[in-house]
């Protein structure tokens, strides 16, 4: 099989919305992969989204158009490339959990890496550095919930929005989130315990 076919198979196998050379580096030398990606971009087999980040365009027959790239996929590809841990924050965290229907133009992540900002068309991807203690001591789900609660703010927390967050997770997942978050800010931990209680009520 030619290198081009191996690249497509690898990306589909990994189920990546966007990718970099580092995601496929085991398929060949860096120079060969770079030249092949350049040729595939020129032939419109893949799209170059930002420098070093690509995707395989998917055609939507219903709307007779190619599906727009995943901004979250671009962010995750960048993070994998630099070996960063990242988690959605701000309004985007609310969007991920279904508490906001507003489509963000700025996608903000906390990151174990340095501050970085990237722009794709009209969308901004911003990575804000957080200490390893903040990012590495919690799982993705726990970080996501903590960031969403922070964004809502202590004065705006109520039963409705806590229930909306809890509905994204199973009871087992909420138990894990609650156990992991014991050392976070007290008021946030109290909110997470309330979420677990809401989920328990739902199961009864």
């Amino acid at each position: 099989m030619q290198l081009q076919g191996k690249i497509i198979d690898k990306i589909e196998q990994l189920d990546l919305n966007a990718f970099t050379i580092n995601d496929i580096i085991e398929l060949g030398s860096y120079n060969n992969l770079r030249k092949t990606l350049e040729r595939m971009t020129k032939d419109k087999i893949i799209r170059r989204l930002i420098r070093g980040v690509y995707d395989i365009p998917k055609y939507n027959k219903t709307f007779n158009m190619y599906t727009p790239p995943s901004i979250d996929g671009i962010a995750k590809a960048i993070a994998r490339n630099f070996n960063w841990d990242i988690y959605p924050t701000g309004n985007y965290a609310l969007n991920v959990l279904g508490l906001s229907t507003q489509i963000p133009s700025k996608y903000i992540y906390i990151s174990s890496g340095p501050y970085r900002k990237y722009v794709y068309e009209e969308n901004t991807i911003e990575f804000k550095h957080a200490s390893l203690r903040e990012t590495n001591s919690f799982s993705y789900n726990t970080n996501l919930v903590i960031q969403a609660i922070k964004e809502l703010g202590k004065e705006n927390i109520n039963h409705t929005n806590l229930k909306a967050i809890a509905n994204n997770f199973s009871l087992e997942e909420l138990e894990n989130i609650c156990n992991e978050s014991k050392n976070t800010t007290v008021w946030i931990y109290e909110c997470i315990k309330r979420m677990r209680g809401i989920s328990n009520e739902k199961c009864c």
Side-chain angles (χ1 to χ4, degrees):
M1 183 185 293
Q2 292 184 342
L3 183 54
Q4 176 177 303
K6 290 179 180 179
I7 291 171
I8 293 172
D9 285 351
K10 184 67 175 179
I11 298 308
E12 290 179 346
Q13 176 190 342
L14 295 172
D15 194 25
L16 299 177
N17 289 320
F19 67 96
T20 70
I21 285 183
N22 279 344
D23 289 314
I24 55 172
I25 196 65
E26 72 274 14
L27 298 180
S29 70
Y30 183 89
N31 283 337
N32 281 342
L33 288 168
R34 179 179 58 80
K35 290 176 182 176
T36 302
L37 292 177
E38 287 177 357
R39 186 167 59 251
M40 292 172 70
T41 302
K42 185 177 180 181
D43 293 340
K44 297 185 178 180
I45 296 169
I46 62 174
R47 293 183 291 200
R48 180 182 180 274
L49 306 176
I50 62 174
R51 184 178 179 182
V53 180
Y54 308 84
D55 79 343
I56 300 174
K58 295 178 175 62
Y59 194 76
N60 188 315
K61 293 181 180 179
T62 303
F63 296 100
N64 196 31
M65 61 180 288
Y66 284 100
T67 304
S70 164
I71 305 302
D72 186 58
I74 296 173
K76 288 177 178 176
I78 294 169
R80 287 194 308 275
N81 191 54
F82 294 111
N83 200 28
W84 299 339
D85 293 316
I86 63 169
Y87 309 98
T89 189
N91 188 62
Y92 183 46
L94 300 182
N95 184 274
V96 171
L97 290 170
L99 275 78
S100 171
T101 56
Q102 181 181 353
I103 299 174
S105 59
K106 181 177 283 190
Y107 294 72
I108 303 176
Y109 298 81
I110 57 171
S111 166
S112 60
Y115 176 84
R116 289 286 187 274
K117 184 165 73 172
Y118 300 83
V119 176
Y120 173 75
E121 294 186 348
E122 296 180 356
N123 300 288
T124 299
I125 302 170
E126 192 170 343
F127 299 102
K128 293 185 174 181
H129 176 73
S131 69
L132 289 176
R133 178 180 175 275
E134 290 179 74
T135 59
N136 285 357
S137 56
F138 303 132
S139 66
Y140 180 91
N141 284 345
T142 302
N143 271 296
L144 180 60
V145 168
I146 289 172
Q147 293 304 314
I149 291 173
K150 280 183 179 179
E151 180 65 14
L152 287 169
K154 190 174 183 179
E155 303 304 319
N156 297 316
I157 291 293
N158 55 45
H159 182 88
T160 301
N161 48 43
L162 287 179
K163 183 178 180 180
I165 296 174
N167 285 341
N168 287 274
F169 305 101
S170 67
L171 182 57
E172 181 181 357
E173 287 171 329
L174 284 171
E175 289 286 356
N176 290 334
I177 292 169
C178 196
N179 288 333
E180 286 184 354
S181 61
K182 288 178 180 177
N183 293 326
T184 193
T185 309
V186 173
W187 74 269
I188 294 177
Y189 178 57
E190 291 300 321
C191 290
I192 292 172
K193 286 200 297 183
R194 286 170 61 189
M195 282 171 45
R196 183 180 60 181
I198 290 169
S199 186
N200 274 323
E201 291 171 6
K202 185 174 61 176
C203 294
C204 295

